[in-house]
Amino acid sequence: MIKRKHIPFIASLIIVIGCYFYTGNDLQERAKNNFKQFNASNLDDELIGIDYYAKGIKIIFADKEFVLHPITDSLNEYTIFEGVAEKGDYIIKKPFQKILIVKKKTGKEYRYNFREF
């Protein structure tokens, strides 16, 4: 038998677990929507900024912004996207292309795969 003094604790625990699963599903759905928008985009524009966003990276252009989850691997010589991309670089990606190109001001190019949702 459950004692009366334990009922508020159990009810609180159930509410916390419910909120955890609800927000987790919401974040996953938001990540899917961000990926769909980014994946369908045609990018050939100058980067004006980058920022962290929900375990991903937000790339900011003059008139639009996208969220992606770049992968560090041998394709880009194991360089981290946030350490390479900076204001003034060009980001190039065709719609539904699996590789994003960061073209530095110096002319050097880095290629990045990104996580798909």
Side-chain angles (χ1 to χ4, degrees):
M1 241 8 225
I2 298 175
K3 295 183 180 179
R4 285 186 169 258
K5 66 179 183 178
H6 296 298
I7 291 176
F9 173 74
I10 293 171
S12 299
L13 187 62
I14 290 171
I15 290 171
V16 168
I17 290 172
C19 289
Y20 175 78
F21 283 110
Y22 175 75
T23 57
N25 288 339
D26 184 48
L27 291 175
Q28 187 68 20
E29 200 60 39
R30 197 177 316 166
K32 285 180 186 177
N33 290 335
N34 287 337
F35 175 73
K36 286 178 186 177
Q37 181 185 18
F38 168 72
N39 196 35
S41 65
N42 182 26
L43 300 176
D44 188 1
D45 207 351
E46 183 178 346
L47 189 64
I48 63 166
I50 64 171
D51 198 5
Y52 293 100
Y53 182 85
K55 295 188 178 180
I57 302 298
K58 182 187 290 187
I59 52 177
I60 305 165
F61 303 98
D63 60 345
K64 56 193 168 230
E65 52 188 49
F66 298 97
V67 176
L68 69 141
H69 296 81
I71 299 171
T72 301
D73 61 12
S74 61
L75 180 65
N76 49 49
E77 302 168 2
Y78 299 100
T79 57
I80 298 172
F81 183 85
E82 304 89 286
V84 170
E86 59 188 9
K87 183 177 179 177
D89 293 342
Y90 269 79
I91 302 291
I92 303 165
K93 184 189 88 59
K94 301 291 182 210
F96 306 103
Q97 183 178 359
K98 303 295 181 198
I99 295 176
L100 173 136
I101 299 168
V102 177
K103 188 170 183 178
K104 302 291 291 174
K105 294 174 246 179
T106 62
K108 185 166 182 170
E109 292 184 357
Y110 293 89
R111 299 175 185 279
Y112 286 89
N113 289 321
F114 40 87
R115 182 174 171 204
E116 297 183 30
F117 288 87

